[in-house]
Amino acid sequence: MQTFFSIGVDALAYGMILFVISIGLSVTMGLMRVVNLAHGAFAMIGGYIASYAARDLGLAYGLAVILAVAGTIIIAIPLERFLYRRIYGAPELTQVLMTIGITFCVIGIANYVFGPTLKTIPLPPDLQGPVDLGFRTIAAHKLFAIFCGVAVALGLWYLIERTSFGVKLRASVDNTAMAAALGVRTKIVYAASFALAVGLAAFGGVIGAELLPVEPYYALRYMVTFLVVVSVGGAGSIPGALIACLLLGAIDTTGRYLVPEYGEFFFYLAVIAIVWVFPRGLMGRAK
């Protein structure tokens, strides 16, 4: 019974971390129509900034998280202005080539500046120990990851579905020329959406560093995982991404607990089965 409880907690925490990182990619692919293979690189950048701020500068964990998100967005703004803006609406192969190039550039810079070793992000005392639930103890940082995932899901859903910004974003995606003619500043909307996606990636890279360690090849190591989540959930669907993360997180964690010698076999077997039954993803939107 304790094993199943541990599997459930670990699966939920892992799934929520995947969600926080991947939901930004779902937004850029599903709403902005950009295949951004460099998304994991921005999560890695956030992890590096937080590690430097917390370990080398001795800043508090919360401040390190804020600096990581803000710093990653600042780095991403000129990339969006001078690189990404040129591939909006471009063929998908062009987008893939551009963003995979950015990924390898980020990996090279990370290797040169920080070295090839893993980078840790010191947790505050409140997140280091276990939390006693009365019948079981759970690692505090896992509960924190679960809470962050729920908060991000609710906040992002409200932003896109219930605010004027969400209306402008959906209008810009559906018909950019008409939205611009009606006074929507489409370039600013796209830039803000990109900054939001990048910020979420950086945030997920920091809070998930205990389960997805930060190292120079982070962007390549988890690139397929992030793409899989978007494909299974359905690009642009927040509920779909959440369901996909929880489902795949549960399958992957259960497999690693019970039959670790199979590695990620069951994870990708589930992906194949789901995509075969739902080619657009669990809650994909028709193009």
Side-chain angles (χ1 to χ4, degrees):
M1 193 66 186
Q2 289 184 349
T3 300
F4 285 110
F5 184 82
S6 297
I7 291 175
V9 172
D10 288 353
L12 187 56
Y14 179 53
M16 284 303 188
I17 289 170
L18 279 183
F19 173 76
V20 174
I21 298 175
S22 302
I23 189 58
L25 179 59
S26 183
V27 169
T28 55
M29 287 183 63
L31 298 181
M32 299 174 64
R33 306 289 193 265
V34 176
V35 183
N36 183 18
L37 296 188
H39 189 77
F42 293 113
M44 183 180 76
I45 291 172
Y48 271 111
I49 293 176
S51 176
Y52 178 76
R55 287 190 345 130
D56 300 329
L57 300 182
L59 299 180
Y61 182 80
L63 185 55
V65 172
I66 294 173
L67 287 177
V69 174
T72 305
I73 291 175
I74 290 172
I75 292 172
I77 287 175
L79 293 179
E80 191 279 335
R81 174 63 181 84
F82 297 108
L83 296 180
Y84 282 89
R85 196 168 292 185
R86 297 181 65 86
I87 61 173
Y88 290 154
E92 292 180 349
L93 179 58
T94 301
Q95 297 175 350
V96 166
L97 292 175
M98 170 76 81
T99 56
I100 198 71
I102 294 173
T103 299
F104 279 106
C105 288
V106 172
I107 289 173
I109 293 172
N111 254 319
Y112 178 77
V113 175
F114 298 102
T117 58
L118 294 174
K119 298 297 179 183
T120 60
I121 303 173
L123 294 173
D126 292 341
L127 297 180
Q128 288 180 1
V131 175
D132 190 356
L133 300 180
F135 61 94
R136 193 74 166 83
T137 59
I138 300 177
H141 73 270
K142 292 179 181 179
L143 285 179
F144 178 67
I146 295 170
F147 171 80
C148 288
V150 173
V152 167
L154 293 176
L156 195 58
W157 175 84
Y158 182 82
L159 177 67
I160 293 178
E161 301 293 339
R162 292 291 185 268
T163 67
S164 60
F165 174 79
V167 173
K168 292 176 181 177
L169 174 59
R170 296 197 302 275
S172 298
V173 169
D174 292 338
N175 193 323
T176 303
M178 181 60 71
L182 293 174
V184 177
R185 303 176 71 178
T186 55
K187 290 183 178 180
I188 293 180
V189 170
Y190 276 119
S193 301
F194 185 80
L196 175 64
V198 166
L200 287 173
F203 180 61
V206 177
I207 67 170
E210 293 292 315
L211 297 179
L212 305 179
V214 178
E215 42 91 13
Y217 291 95
Y218 179 104
L220 283 181
R221 189 180 304 277
Y222 302 112
M223 177 190 293
V224 174
T225 302
F226 301 149
L227 285 173
V228 159
V229 168
V230 175
S231 299
V232 171
S237 172
I238 297 173
L242 181 59
I243 294 172
C245 288
L246 295 177
L247 177 61
L248 294 177
I251 294 172
D252 190 38
T253 303
T254 302
R256 291 178 186 275
Y257 262 88
L258 302 182
V259 281
E261 63 273 15
Y262 281 87
E264 296 182 329
F265 172 79
F266 293 105
F267 179 88
Y268 288 106
L269 181 64
V271 170
I272 293 171
I274 294 171
V275 173
W276 182 71
V277 177
F278 303 97
R280 290 178 176 166
L282 294 173
M283 301 183 69
R285 301 181 180 186
K287 294 184 178 180

